């Protein structure tokens, strides 16, 4: 593996050399979607220019080859995330679809009065599906509070478990605050205290360091490809085989059936069971290329160390700004910095930074329950990836000084 | 920089800092809540009187500089209007904010509201500026809430 | 628009100049997935290298720009397919998901005893979801027979309608046989005879000529991007707005909600209502690029005329082969030629052709009910697009002669 | 061409054209259906006797040259086998078809079955060749049906 050289890394991401207006792009919105290295873009191009075919049913070379590559992509990803069995890795459109698949699957077995333990820091993707299911089935949702530093209030969370708890679900990393939750300990507690299934939303965890699912003890783990330097329209649901195979299919159609006739249809086992129709073949292959890139060209540890150093620098610099409040100050954080300013609304901050070429998010970050909890409408959020550097933070600070000139 | 100065004109910044007619209006004859689901901003508009003749308008709520300034200016500019005149005023503002073609704004006639035209260069902010006006319309029609997403 | 020049067209598809083994690729499997013109591949590359961002919630330039491009992609596609309202065009993963979305939506309103009229030539994607729904809800499925020439038996189909018919669904073009069904007349009959909703599966129609949905009178129309020269992982559901807005959401999460709180959630209208989570942004933009390419660089009429001429040539040449039977001989056909040979099984045909660089499908083509009807296990299928030429057919014939040498 | 000649060796083509032991076996003690969902092929295997001692095996069904030839050769090669010997034969064939490493095949010992090794160069066809053998296993275990997809 080459040494971690931030300039070389940045050169591998074509978009990072573009300008916005006439200012260099400062991309601090990786929490929304990550940028793609040339390795991933080239992989997609190569597939479409040279290898494109549908999978599974073909006896011709291109189709066999595409099938092999699709299968190998699953293997690569399974290995990268420590999935114990390859077939337990299901390709979906993204984290949102993955959660929906599980909530649909559980709708067959959960019954009135059953309880689900969530937290107030869930992204809508891991919140609304459960709310809808709860309404349909008469389930009770219980939400763990969040502390002032932006951590799950563990005592409160633990107090929510009962013999009726059938599912505990929590985000690995908060997209709005950056907090890394102690998911391994939480899973152990949930398993010890109840026979709840555990679903972890890893959408914001996977881009920031190596995740080993086997190590976590959970039953389901979900994430999106586009946030982990992979292509759009692809995501992962990992789940225990015996649970997934007991689910009714989520969608139905070609490839997921064993035999179809007018009198009845039988379904295949995982992974095909949940991959009805033509999947996003190039998306799967591109996502595997992203993991390959991270493993072989960058190194997760070096990436994480670099990101943490930038996070530290950014936190220091931002703390110097008067009237600026960082929301989410947990000791264990990824490179996500949400903040509010006394003088300016997040939207105005975002607009002014944009004129400086600095891309951040402003708003509720699909975490309205959390915002309500903090009694704020939203925050400005700068979110990092390993390709950010100190100059990015300096540009952010310069931009915030401009905000103060207008609103100070 | 130019565009930004157009957006955050002194007049906008001043209305944002010291909005006129902020606070619940009591008693009131109409009210509505406006909501921008993309940023989470909410705005309440209270009206005494009605479409025929507005006596007073006030607003409460959270929002960015643009939405607060727009709300503040709105409360001042529609006070004591009614009927066709009121409709024309609302239409005129929405028009300069959302018309495809660059509007010709007569600052003499439009007064402070002319400052809103700077928002046009920031398309995602247009909804911030129109929110107060849509909410006023909703209040006058006794529609209790509107959302920028279902409305335009 | 440039004149239709087959050599120039072929040069626009990079994969068509590759070799398989040391034989030039002869791609006759466009029914499974179509190849992509450089215009589409370049559009994707440009997006990822220069424009990549998440949509909707951003105040920064890249995000606004991606949002605009995503919205414009929807407009382009709406216009290309004659959708009366832009917001009625929903982005899905593909035709399969589109059908599942509708079957899920209808599950709220259909009740025991309601009837659905289908045909025996449906692809599994437009069959299994209805079968599952029927089982769940106690609906009756009625299947129209297929004639020996591979057309829907219209008298039989018409006889299936009753006052209980709530949905009629049929494929626009049969993927296994190539038959173009008279969908406009069928829709008119269904609407006249019942108050059934009409869903048309356009997956195999859209790649072969300009479709104008407004003209058809149907309620829902579905297709896949990858079959119409666009990227993987993207597809379209078009549906009447008032019907779609009455459906419960299919998946839930970010972007499709109006307001989320612990006490309840309200959903947005179409299209966002059905686009939960981060969509396949580049997929949507790439699909629009495919339609642009077809409209502006090729011309649908010229493409169709050329494909029909190759179909005619292929049909003639294949008919000369003794013991070869074309399955599907309707007068109105797209460039799909299914056939069986007395001497050789489709699988063996496919393998031998593959060694000649000729890519075809062998099997049931996800149309098992149709195969059962014909009492065959499968067929060999050569499927054309406008980029095929006579040389492709000559290579197919040469390959079939080789099949006869082994099995004759 | 070479690979294709390896696949469709004379022996395969001849078994395909004139399969031995085709047709339902009556009476029989065991039967199973094998199914390849990808191509839709089905195969029935009928056994008289059992794992201890096979007396006769016959098959019916549709399939490609490879699956028919493999079934035909299977019926011949396991007839009158039993116990460990039978198990070893089945294992050997599955081994030469699916082992990761190129198998060393002794044509003298393997007999006609050695012809199946040519299938290895055509990965999607391997399931055609194994189907009969898996179905035989299923029949002997009184598992009524197997599918190539759930089985390997
Ligand atoms: C007629 C028809 N409908 C639906 C589909 C399903 O399309 P997808 O697999 O892209 O979802 C196909 C694909 O083969 C088809 O041919
Ligand atoms: C924590 C978390 N979970 C889930 C999601 C949903 O991901 P997607 O929109 O890719 O489905 C996000 C995306 O913002 C997220 O941050």
């Amino acid at each position: 593996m080459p040494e971690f050289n931030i300039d070389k890394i940045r050169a591998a991401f074509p978009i990072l050399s573009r300008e916005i207006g006439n200012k260099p792009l400062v991309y601090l919105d990786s929490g929304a979607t990550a940028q793609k290295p040339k390795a991933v873009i080239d992989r997609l191009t190569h597939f479409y220019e040279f290898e494109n075919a549908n999978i599974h049913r073909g006896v011709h070379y291109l189709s066999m080859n595409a099938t092999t590559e699709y299968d190998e992509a699953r293997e690569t990803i399974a290995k990268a995330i420590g999935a114990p069995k390859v077939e337990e890795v299901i390709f979906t459109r993204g984290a949102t679809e993955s959660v929906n698949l599980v909530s649909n699957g559980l709708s067959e077995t959960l019954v009135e009065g059953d309880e689900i333990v969530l937290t107030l820091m869930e992204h809508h993707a891991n919140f609304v599906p459960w709310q809808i299911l709860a309404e349909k089935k008469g389930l009770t949702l219980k939400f763990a509070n969040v502390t002032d530093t932006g951590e799950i209030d563990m005592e409160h969370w633990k107090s929510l478990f009962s013999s009726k708890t059938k599912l505990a679900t929590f985000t690995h990393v908060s997209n709005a605050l950056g907090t890394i939750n102690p998911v391994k300990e939480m899973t152990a507690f949930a398993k010890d205290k109840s026979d709840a299934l555990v679903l972890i939303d890893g959408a914001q965890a996977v881009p920031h360091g190596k995740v080993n699912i086997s190590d976590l003890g959970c039953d389901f783990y979900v994430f999106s490809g586009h946030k982990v330097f992979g292509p759009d329209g692809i995501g992962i649901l990992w789940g225990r085989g015996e649970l997934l195979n007991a689910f009714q299919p989520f969608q139905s159609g070609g490839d997921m059936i064993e035999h179809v006739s007018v009198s009845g249809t039988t379904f295949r086992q995982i992974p095909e069971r949940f991959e009805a129709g033509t999947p996003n073949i190039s998306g799967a292959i591109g996502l595997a290329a992203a993991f390959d890139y991270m493993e072989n060209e960058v190194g997760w540890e070096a990436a994480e160390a670099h990101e943490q150093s930038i996070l530290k620098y950014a936190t220091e610099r931002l703390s110097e700004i008067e009237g600026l409040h960082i929301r989410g100050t947990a000791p264990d954080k990824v490179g996500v910095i949400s903040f509010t300013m006394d003088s300016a609304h997040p939207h105005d901050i975002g607009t002014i930074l944009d004129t400086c070429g600095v891309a951040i998010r402003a708003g509720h970050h699909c975490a309205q329950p959390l915002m309500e909890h903090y009694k704020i409408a939203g925050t400005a959020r700068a979110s990092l990836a390993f390709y950010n550097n100190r100059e990015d933070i300096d540009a952010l600070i310069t931009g915030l000084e401009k905000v103060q000139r207008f609103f100070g | 920089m130019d565009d930004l100065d157009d957006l955050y004109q002194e007049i906008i910044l001043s209305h944002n800092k010291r909005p006129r007619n902020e606070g619940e209006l009591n008693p009131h004859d109409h009210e509505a809540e406006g909501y921008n689901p993309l940023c989470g901003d909410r705005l309440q508009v209270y009206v005494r009187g009605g479409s025929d003749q507005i006596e007073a308008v006030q607003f409460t709520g959270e929002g960015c500089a643009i939405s607060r300034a727009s709300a503040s200016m709105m409360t001042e500019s529609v006070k004591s209007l009614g009927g066709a005149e009121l409709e024309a005023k609302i239409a005129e503002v929405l028009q300069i904010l959302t018309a495809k073609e660059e509007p010709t704004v007569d600052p003499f006639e439009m007064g402070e509201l002319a400052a809103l035209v700077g928002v046009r260069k920031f398309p995602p902010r247009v909804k911030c500026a129109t929110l107060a006006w849509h909410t006023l319309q909703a209040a006058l029609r006794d529609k209790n809430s509107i959302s920028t997403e279902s409305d335009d």
Side-chain angles (χ1 to χ4, degrees), chain A, chain B:
Chain A
M1 177 131 27
E3 224 186 302
F4 189 91
N5 174 327
I6 183 65
D7 294 329
K8 261 194 170 155
I9 297 267
R10 289 177 66 84
F13 288 78
I15 205 171
L16 296 184
S17 19
R18 80 161 280 179
E19 300 197 331
I20 301 295
N22 49 6
K23 309 266 171 39
L25 168 64
V26 174
Y27 190 73
L28 297 174
D29 196 21
S30 296
T33 197
Q35 295 305 340
K36 324 300 175 200
K38 201 141 179 31
V40 168
I41 303 171
D42 287 350
R43 187 67 193 85
L44 295 176
T45 306
H46 183 78
F47 179 79
Y48 283 129
E49 289 196 348
F50 212 68
E51 304 181 318
N52 179 60
N54 210 329
I55 58 171
H56 289 328
R57 291 176 303 266
V59 288
H60 63 81
Y61 173 81
L62 287 180
S63 174
M64 293 184 270
N65 182 61
T67 304
T68 305
E69 291 190 338
Y70 183 72
D71 292 345
E72 285 176 357
R74 199 190 307 275
E75 285 164 30
T76 300
I77 295 163
K79 203 158 153 247
I81 61 175
K85 292 186 194 144
V86 175
E87 69 269 23
E88 293 177 341
V89 172
I90 314 291
F91 285 116
T92 64
R93 178 171 36 241
T96 300
E97 186 178 34
S98 299
V99 175
N100 277 273
L101 197 164
V102 176
S103 79
N104 186 73
L106 291 177
S107 76
E108 303 272 327
T109 46
L110 296 183
V111 296
E112 192 168 339
D114 283 350
E115 295 178 357
I116 300 180
V117 172
L118 300 95
T119 84
L120 275 180
M121 65 165 76
E122 298 313 306
H123 186 277
H124 293 169
N126 194 31
F127 177 104
V128 184
W130 305 116
Q131 199 173 37
I132 292 178
L133 185 64
E135 217 157 280
K136 207 165 95 181
K137 288 280 178 175
L139 315 177
T140 303
L141 302 185
K142 292 181 159 184
F143 295 93
N145 284 336
V146 173
T147 66
D148 287 344
T149 56
E151 293 166 274
I152 297 170
D153 178 340
M154 280 301 159
E155 287 319 303
H156 183 236
W157 180 75
K158 289 180 179 173
S159 74
L160 300 178
F161 282 81
S162 80
S163 60
K164 291 190 200 149
T165 310
K166 292 293 153 55
L167 175 73
T169 183
F170 36 83
T171 194
H172 194 158
V173 166
S174 158
N175 69 308
L177 305 169
T179 318
I180 304 173
N181 292 316
V183 291
K184 186 172 175 179
E185 294 70 28
M186 290 171 77
T187 303
F189 177 90
K191 292 285 176 192
D192 191 46
K193 190 76 179 184
S194 67
D195 28 56
L197 297 172
V198 172
L199 181 152
I200 299 177
D201 175 358
Q204 294 289 346
V206 177
H208 298 282
K210 196 164 172 69
V211 168
N212 187 330
I213 287 175
S214 299
D215 197 41
L216 300 180
C218 59
D219 301 292
F220 304 103
Y221 195 94
V222 307
F223 64 94
S224 293
H226 70 95
K227 291 192 201 278
V228 62
F229 321 110
D232 290 348
I234 192 81
I236 297 292
L237 163 64
W238 170 82
R240 289 192 196 285
E242 64 276 20
L243 297 171
L244 291 178
N245 276 324
F247 283 179
Q248 284 307 301
F250 180 48
Q251 295 190 21
S252 56
D255 276 327
M256 53 73 74
I257 52 92
E258 200 157 80
H259 181 66
V260 177
S261 82
V262 172
S263 59
T265 293
T266 50
F267 304 111
R268 290 170 68 179
Q269 300 289 93
I270 56 168
E272 286 83 4
R273 188 177 190 81
F274 296 109
E275 296 181 2
T278 303
N280 187 346
I281 302 167
S282 61
I285 294 170
L287 180 55
F291 277 103
D292 276 343
Y293 170 77
M294 287 308 297
E295 304 257 351
N296 305 328
E297 303 293 321
V298 181
W300 281 109
E301 275 183 37
E304 199 178 341
H306 174 77
E307 186 192 306
Q308 285 291 328
S309 78
I310 304 297
L311 170 64
K312 186 156 172 287
Y313 178 66
T315 307
E316 282 163 13
R317 293 293 313 267
L318 285 166
S319 307
E320 290 161 10
I321 296 181
E322 238 189 313
L324 184 150
H325 312 280
I326 295 180
R327 307 282 179 162
T329 52
D332 242 14
K333 272 185 68 170
V334 304
V336 167
I337 313 164
S338 258
F339 59 93
T340 51
M341 290 173 86
D342 291 339
S343 57
H345 184 277
H347 237 158
D348 296 312
I349 300 172
T351 294
I352 293 175
L353 290 177
D354 182 47
T355 64
C356 308
V358 178
I360 64 149
R361 281 275 129 168
H364 53 60
H365 316 299
C366 284
Q368 286 183 330
L370 183 66
M371 298 298 140
E372 279 177 20
H373 176 77
Y374 277 124
K375 300 200 175 34
I376 51 180
T379 70
R381 182 188 74 179
S383 55
L384 307 173
F386 67 94
Y387 45 64
N388 287 115
N389 60 12
R390 280 176 165 242
E391 288 78 359
D392 290 340
I393 304 306
D394 295 338
L396 170 66
I397 299 293
T398 307
L400 292 175
E401 284 161 5
K402 193 163 163 188
V403 172
Q404 287 189 306
R405 276 206 300 284
F406 274 100
F407 288 96
Chain B
M1 271 307 279
D2 287 0
D3 288 354
L4 212 49
D5 288 326
D6 283 349
L7 180 66
Y8 295 118
Q9 296 176 38
E10 266 315 316
I11 195 92
I12 301 270
L13 295 176
S14 129
H15 272 279
N16 174 48
K17 236 180 180 157
R18 284 170 302 276
R20 327 303 187 250
N21 306 307
E22 189 178 19
E24 201 169 321
L25 176 68
N26 278 318
H28 58 261
D29 301 303
H30 306 278
E31 71 170 280
E33 179 175 84
Y35 177 54
N36 182 339
L38 296 187
C39 58
D41 287 351
R42 291 171 181 289
L43 193 75
Q44 283 78 30
V45 169
Y46 307 88
V47 179
R48 194 178 301 147
S51 323
D52 295 343
Q53 181 67 48
I54 288 187
E55 285 160 33
V57 186
Q58 293 194 191
F59 80 98
T60 58
E62 293 205 65
C64 61
I66 306 303
S67 76
R68 284 169 68 76
S70 180
S72 170
M73 292 195 278
M74 179 272 286
T75 60
E76 289 202 311
S77 66
V78 300
K79 191 155 44 185
S80 79
L81 293 188
E85 222 183 349
L86 173 62
E87 266 175 47
K89 172 66 73 189
I90 298 175
E92 184 183 12
V93 173
L94 293 178
Q95 165 77 12
I96 66 161
L97 284 167
T98 62
K100 279 238 159 82
E101 329 74 54
E102 185 73 34
T104 48
V105 176
D106 179 344
F108 188 71
E109 213 186 275
M110 293 272 310
E112 291 184 348
L113 287 173
L116 286 176
V117 80
V119 180
R120 289 180 57 90
K121 288 186 192 135
F122 297 82
R125 308 305 302 278
V126 167
K127 281 178 180 170
C128 309
T130 57
L131 184 60
W133 301 82
H134 284 308
T135 311
L136 172 66
Q137 282 182 323
L140 292 172
R141 291 176 197 150
D142 288 324
K143 222 177 139 226
N144 283 336
S145 68
I146 62 129
S147 147
T148 55
E149 286 315 296
S150 39
D151 216 71
D152 56 0

